[in-house]
Amino acid sequence: MYKLLLILKYLRRKLAPLFAASAVALCTAMVIIVISVMGGFLQMMRESAQRLTGQVTVSSDLWGFPHYEDLLDELKKVPQIDAATALIRAYGLINLYNNVITIEAVGIHPDSLNTVTGYRETLYWTSQHLLDDIEQSMPPAELRNQREQALYESRRQRFEQIDLRDLGMTFTPPVTRPNQQPQPGIVLGIEVNPYNRRGHDGQYDIATSSINSELTLTLIPMTQRGTVMEPSVRRMVVANEFKSGLYEIDANRVYAPFDLVQQMLRMDEATQVNPETGEPTGQMEPARTSEIMLRGKPGVPLDELRQAVSDTVDAFTAARPGLPYLRVQTWRDRHATLLGAVEKEKMLLTFLFAVISVVAIAMIGVIFYMIVLEKTRDIGVLRAVGASRGGVMSIFLGYGLAVGCIGAGVGLALAASVVYNINKIQDFLTQRFNFTMWDPTIYYFDKVPSQFDTTEVTVIVVVAILSSVLGALLPAYLAGRLNPVESLRYE
Amino acid sequence: MTDTATQQDTLLQATGLRKMYRMGGQSLEVIRGVDLSVTRGQWLAILGASGSGKSTLLHLLGGLDRPSQGSVVFDKQNIFAMRGPRLDRYRNRHVGFVFQFYHLLPELNVIENVLLAAMISRSVPAWAGARSQQRPRALKLLDRLGLSHRLNHRPAKLSGGERQRVAIARALINQPDVLLADEPTGNLDAQTGDQILEVLQEFHQAGQTIVMVTHDHRIAQAADRVITLRDGKLDPEQSEAS
Ligand SMILES: Nc1ncnc2c1ncn2[C@@H]1O[C@H](COP(=O)(O)OP(=O)(O)O)[C@@H](O)[C@H]1O
Ligand SMILES: [Mg+2]
C-alpha cells in the first residue's frame, strides 16, 4: 500500500517526472504521427494502384493474345471473380497544342473497366467545375446588361444539363462544333497536358485544362515478329482528364475507346494473308487484346484470387496451343517497386524515430537516477521501518510505469489531435506563415494523407510504457540495493 | 527474580557483536565485542561520546545493519540468520526507530507518515480492510502526543519537537517490542528535549521497552539503566549489572 501512496505523492510533487513524462509524450506522439502520415500515404498509393490495375491482371506482350473474349467468359464463371474487362496497352504519341508527347495509350471499355477498378471516380472534371468557372468568369453581380444576363443563363442551363463524367465514360467531347463531323473522344492523364498546373490547394483549374481540345493520336501497329508497320493517326477531342493518384501514370497515360485502339493497332479481326505471296488465305485472323483486368468478390483473399485466375488461364492456354505466354499478376506485383519504396521509407522513418526514443529511455534513466539520489535518505527511512529491497525497487518501477502511462496517454492524445487535424494545421501554417510542410504541388496529393491504425498505435503506446519502465529499471534496482545505514547518514 | 524469570524477560540478547569497516586498505573496528541484554519493559540508555559507535550498535540491534561477527537473539532466533525479507519484517513488526533528525518523509503529511509503517506490511486490498483499525490507533497515538491539530500538515510546517513526536508515533504504530531511539533529543533545545523525554517516560510507564542512545549524561538519567560505550566496548563494571 505504501508503494502506491508514495508513487502518487511523488508524481504530484516533482518537476522531474513532468520532464520524463513530456519526453515520453513527445516521442510517442512523434512516432504515431510519422507512422500515421506514412501509413496514410501508403494507403493512398495502394488505393491508387488498385484503381489502376484492378486486383489481378492477365497480360501478354504488346502484340496481344487472341480469343480473349472466350477467356473473359471463362473467367467470369470463376466463383471468386466479380468482374473482368479487356484492355489494350500500346505506346504512341499525341500532338496537343503542337506539343508532341510520348504516351501510353490504353484502349478500354469504360463501363466494364469501372466495375473492375472504379474508373469513373478518377475522371477529374465534373460539371461543378464548369459551373464554378462561369461564376468566376461572369460573376452574376457584375453582369451589366440583358445580353450578358441571357448569355450567362443559357450557359448555366447548358452546363447544368451535361455531366462531364458521363461524357468521359462515353468518350463524348462536351461540345460538338457545328458543321463538323463528330470526332472520337479521348481521356488524358491530368499531368499529360503541360498547361495543367496544381495550385497550392492541390486543385487544377478548368480554364487551363485540355478539355474539348483537339489532338492527334499516333499509334504504331506491330507484326507478330515485332517489326513496325505504318503508323495509325487519328484526330480526337479531349472528353475529360483523369487523376489516378500516381504521378507517373497521370503524366503518361491516355485512355481511348477499346475498338478504336484495337483498329489502330490492327488487332481487330482481319482476313489472313499469306506472308510470302500477299494473297488472302481465306481464313480469319482473330481479334486480340493485350490485357485482362479483374476484381475478386468481396472478401476473397488476393492470393486465392490469383490462384483461381492462374488455374483458369492455364486451362485456357492448354486448350489452345500457340497462344503467347499469359502472365498473371496481382496489383501488388505490378506496383512492387513503387510500393516497396514507400514501405521501406515508412519502416526507415519508424526505425529512426525508435532510435530517437532510445534517447528518451536514457533520459528517463537519468531523471530517475536523480530522483533516487534525491530520495536516498527517504529510502533509508523506508528500509528502517521495514520496507524490503523489492518494495523500494517496485516504488520506482511503479513510478516509471505511471510516468510512462501518463506520457504515452498524453502523447497519444497529442498525436490523435495532430493526425485528425493535420490538414487544418497545414492550412493554418500556410496562411499564417506561408510555410507549407506538405506542398501539394510536390507531393501530388491535395491533402496530407493520414491513417490511424489501431494496431500500430497500440503497439507504440505499449512500447512507450515498457520503455519508461525499462528506463526506470536500473535506477530502481540501485535504489533497492542502497545500504539503509548509509542512506540515513546521507545528507 | 529467579534466574528463569530473568531469562524469560530477556527481549534482546546481543552476544560478541563486532562491526568492522574497511576503508581503503585499513580496517576500522567500530564495535569491538559487545555483549548486552535488554529485558522487557526496561528503559536502557547507552551513553557514549560522539563516534564511539552508539548509532552502529543501535542499527545492529534493530537489524538495519549486519555485524561482522556476533548475534542478536530475539524471540529465540538470531536475527542475522534471517533472510532479507524476514529481517525486513522484524524491523517492521518488532522494532521502532526514532532518529536524531526525525527522518519523516517530506511528501507525506503527519497522519500518512505515522501510518506508513502500518501500510508497509500490507497490500492495497489488505490495507483497505486494516485502515479502519489502524487509523483510529494512529489518531489516538497522535492525540496522546498532542498533535491532533496537525494531522494534515506536512513535516516542513512542523517544529522540531513536533516532528520528533510524529517520528515517535510512527515508530510505535505497529506496537513494537522495542523502541530504538538514536539521540532523540540531540537536535532539540533543552526544553523541547525534556518534553520528548516526558513523552518517552509516559510510554515507558505503560510498558514500552526503550533502548536510547545519547552522549548527554543528563538525558541518560531518565532511563532506568545506563551503560557506557567507549571505543566500541561497554564499560566492564556496568555491562551486565543492575
Ligand atoms: N560506513 C562507514 N565507513 C567507515 N567508518 C564508518 C562508517 N560508518 C560509521 N563509521 C565510523 O564508525 C564510528 C562510529 O560511528 P557511529 O556509530 O555513528 O558513532 P556515534 O553514533 O556514537 O557517534 C565513527 O568513527 C564513524 O566515523
Ligand atoms: Mg550517532
Side-chain angles (χ1 to χ4, degrees):
Chain A
M1 176 62 209
Y2 73 106
K3 301 170 204 163
L4 193 63
L5 177 71
L6 284 174
I7 290 168
L8 292 177
K9 294 287 172 181
Y10 285 1
L11 277 178
R12 255 190 292 168
R13 296 287 292 177
K14 290 290 156 195
L15 207 60
L18 195 69
F19 277 124
S22 316
V24 176
L26 278 179
C27 283
T28 311
M30 221 159 51
V31 176
I32 293 178
I33 292 169
V34 166
I35 282 217
S36 298
V37 171
M38 289 303 291
F41 186 47
L42 202 55
Q43 183 60 24
M44 265 193 187
M45 306 237 328
R46 285 189 183 129
E47 277 163 15
S48 303
Q50 285 195 61
R51 230 182 287 119
L52 278 167
T53 50
Q55 287 179 312
V56 172
T57 57
V58 179
S59 55
S60 68
D61 61 358
L62 282 178
W63 188 75
F65 62 98
H67 310 301
Y68 63 92
E69 275 147 333
D70 298 344
L71 180 56
L72 268 178
D73 288 342
E74 303 264 311
L75 285 170
K76 281 176 185 166
K77 280 186 226 148
V78 174
Q80 287 94 334
I81 295 173
D82 209 16
T85 187
L87 42 93
I88 297 179
R89 283 176 197 277
Y91 294 90
L93 303 168
I94 57 168
N95 184 336
L96 176 68
Y97 317 127
N98 283 331
N99 295 291
V100 180
I101 302 162
T102 60
I103 44 90
E104 177 195 27
V106 182
I108 58 170
H109 300 288
D111 285 318
S112 89
L113 180 64
N114 188 40
T115 61
V116 175
T117 66
Y119 164 70
R120 193 178 198 276
E121 295 303 306
T122 67
L123 292 174
Y124 191 80
W125 302 113
T126 63
S127 301
Q128 194 57 46
H129 285 110
L130 284 177
L131 291 173
D132 291 349
D133 188 51
I134 16 171
E135 300 280 321
Q136 279 238 320
S137 57
M138 310 174 71
E142 288 172 27
L143 298 176
R144 273 162 303 179
N145 50 40
Q146 280 206 320
R147 236 191 50 206
E148 282 185 359
Q149 191 82 37
L151 186 66
Y152 170 81
E153 278 306 322
S154 78
R155 278 199 187 175
R156 241 192 97 81
Q157 275 170 16
R158 197 151 45 93
F159 288 157
E160 268 169 0
Q161 275 160 19
I162 56 175
D163 183 329
L164 280 185
R165 276 190 170 154
D166 280 349
L167 296 180
M169 290 294 284
T170 53
F171 290 112
T172 313
V175 183
T176 319
R177 289 173 186 81
N179 57 42
Q180 203 179 18
Q181 207 181 341
Q183 283 170 322
I186 188 167
V187 171
L188 304 185
I190 195 122
E191 292 282 333
V192 170
N193 167 15
Y195 299 99
N196 271 343
R197 282 278 155 72
R198 260 169 303 143
H200 277 287
D201 56 354
Q203 304 293 319
Y204 296 84
D205 185 358
I206 197 166
T208 55
S209 84
S210 56
I211 215 158
N212 228 29
S213 306
E214 219 182 57
L215 56 77
T216 55
L217 171 69
T218 308
L219 294 180
I220 303 159
M222 285 190 311
T223 66
Q224 192 163 11
R225 282 181 300 155
T227 52
V228 174
M229 294 194 262
E230 178 90 357
S232 310
V233 183
R234 206 50 77 86
R235 284 185 163 281
M236 299 177 89
V237 175
V238 178
N240 206 327
E241 290 172 316
F242 75 91
K243 186 179 181 211
S244 72
L246 296 181
Y247 180 85
E248 290 303 312
I249 301 292
D250 294 355
N252 291 300
R253 183 175 292 184
V254 306
Y255 287 117
F258 185 89
D259 295 338
L260 182 87
V261 174
Q262 202 177 35
Q263 278 169 25
M264 288 174 76
L265 293 167
R266 314 227 181 118
M267 289 168 82
D268 53 341
E269 200 177 40
T271 50
Q272 211 175 50
V273 279
N274 186 318
E276 276 159 37
T277 60
E279 297 281 305
T281 61
Q283 281 190 325
M284 294 302 280
E285 186 84 54
R288 286 170 284 132
T289 191
S290 59
E291 188 171 321
I292 287 174
M293 213 177 250
L294 27 89
R295 195 189 67 208
K297 290 246 163 66
V300 176
L302 196 58
D303 286 336
E304 185 188 330
L305 181 66
R306 180 206 160 102
Q307 197 51 50
V309 174
S310 276
D311 294 345
T312 314
V313 169
D314 287 349
F316 179 80
T317 43
R320 290 170 185 74
L323 276 186
Y325 175 65
L326 295 183
R327 188 173 187 188
V328 179
Q329 285 175 296
T330 65
W331 64 272
R332 281 183 187 282
D333 302 333
R334 291 193 68 134
H335 300 277
T337 35
L338 187 63
L339 291 175
V342 181
E343 273 162 8
K344 285 220 180 63
E345 218 170 299
K346 182 185 171 194
M347 262 168 56
L348 191 72
L349 271 174
T350 313
F351 176 74
L352 275 179
F353 280 102
V355 169
I356 293 175
S357 304
V358 172
V359 178
I361 297 180
M363 192 170 140
I364 290 170
V366 171
I367 290 174
F368 272 72
Y369 186 62
M370 278 164 51
I371 295 174
V372 168
L373 282 187
E374 194 202 309
K375 295 275 166 234
T376 295
R377 217 196 54 203
D378 294 1
I379 292 168
V381 175
L382 285 170
R383 297 299 309 279
V385 294
S388 63
R389 287 188 166 180
V392 169
M393 188 167 161
S394 54
I395 289 174
F396 288 93
L397 282 184
Y399 196 20
L401 182 70
V403 164
C405 287
I406 293 169
V410 171
L412 177 62
L414 194 70
S417 55
V418 169
V419 169
Y420 284 119
N421 297 305
I422 195 152
N423 285 293
K424 279 188 206 144
I425 295 171
Q426 150 99 355
D427 290 348
F428 172 78
L429 287 177
T430 312
Q431 278 168 20
R432 199 59 184 275
F433 306 108
N434 202 16
F435 166 74
T436 312
M437 283 185 297
W438 188 279
D439 189 343
T441 58
I442 296 168
Y443 278 99
Y444 203 60
F445 290 118
D446 39 16
K447 284 201 178 98
V448 185
S450 67
Q451 171 191 266
F452 221 61
D453 183 317
T454 359
T455 331
E456 284 175 345
V457 168
T458 313
V459 169
I460 295 167
V461 166
V462 169
V463 167
I465 293 172
L466 288 184
S467 309
S468 313
V469 176
L470 193 72
L473 190 62
L474 189 63
Y477 176 75
L478 294 175
R481 297 289 304 181
L482 282 177
N483 177 343
V485 176
E486 305 279 324
S487 309
L488 286 170
R489 286 186 201 272
Y490 187 91
E491 284 304 317
Chain B
M1 273 186 212
T2 66
D3 259 15
T4 44
T6 323
Q7 208 69 19
Q8 273 176 358
D9 277 354
T10 300
L11 186 64
L12 286 176
Q13 175 69 57
T15 316
L17 276 185
R18 287 175 181 275
K19 178 73 186 178
M20 225 141 68
Y21 285 112
R22 237 172 284 281
M23 292 170 80
Q26 286 181 314
S27 62
L28 174 70
E29 193 162 33
V30 177
I31 301 292
R32 307 197 290 179
V34 168
D35 300 304
L36 175 68
S37 63
V38 180
T39 42
R40 201 175 281 280
Q42 192 176 48
W43 184 350
L44 172 69
I46 301 173
L47 191 61
S50 177
S52 57
K54 307 182 297 293
S55 295
T56 309
L57 180 58
L58 204 67
H59 292 154
L60 289 174
L61 292 177
L64 195 57
D65 206 354
R66 285 177 185 267
S68 315
Q69 249 183 56
S71 62
V72 169
V73 172
F74 170 81
D75 195 17
K76 301 190 194 91
Q77 281 191 45
N78 178 8
I79 60 169
F80 301 119
M82 296 175 180
R83 293 178 145 277
R86 286 221 26 227
L87 194 57
D88 296 332
R89 199 176 155 73
Y90 165 74
R91 281 201 302 278
N92 184 238
R93 279 298 148 105
H94 303 295
V95 176
F97 275 106
V98 174
F99 303 100
Q100 180 179 357
F101 297 102
Y102 335 121
H103 290 340
L104 301 175
L105 298 192
E107 282 84 5
L108 305 186
N109 63 25
V110 166
I111 184 84
E112 287 163 341
N113 262 295
V114 173
L115 286 173
L116 186 68
M119 288 181 196
I120 277 181
S121 55
R122 294 178 172 94
S123 64
V124 175
W127 178 248
R131 191 174 180 274
S132 56
Q133 320 154 16
Q134 296 296 329
R135 201 177 144 84
R137 277 176 38 74
L139 292 175
K140 222 169 111 194
L141 258 175
L142 287 167
D143 191 37
R144 271 174 84 180
L145 290 161
L147 287 164
S148 301
H149 58 299
R150 295 296 215 173
L151 298 182
N152 296 314
H153 287 74
R154 289 190 197 285
K157 296 267 160 62
L158 305 180
S159 71
E162 284 172 324
R163 289 186 209 186
Q164 196 59 299
R165 280 180 281 158
V166 176
I168 292 171
R170 176 179 68 189
L172 292 177
I173 185 72
N174 282 346
Q175 294 163 298
D177 293 285
V178 58
L179 183 73
L180 302 176
D182 190 349
E183 310 214 25
T185 60
N187 203 36
L188 301 171
D189 59 66
Q191 197 188 342
T192 323
D194 287 346
Q195 282 170 12
I196 294 296
L197 284 179
E198 274 166 38
V199 165
L200 290 178
Q201 186 69 50
E202 201 180 309
F203 283 108
H204 171 60
Q205 267 154 19
Q208 180 67 53
T209 313
I210 301 173
V211 176
M212 181 180 76
V213 145
T214 181
H215 63 270
D216 187 336
H217 285 275
R218 202 181 60 83
I219 303 284
Q221 299 305 307
D224 43 39
R225 178 181 162 207
V226 181
I227 54 176
T228 308
L229 191 65
R230 202 165 280 130
D231 291 334
K233 282 183 180 163
L234 293 182
D235 262 8
E237 69 272 23
Q238 295 169 319
S239 58
E240 281 307 295
S242 71

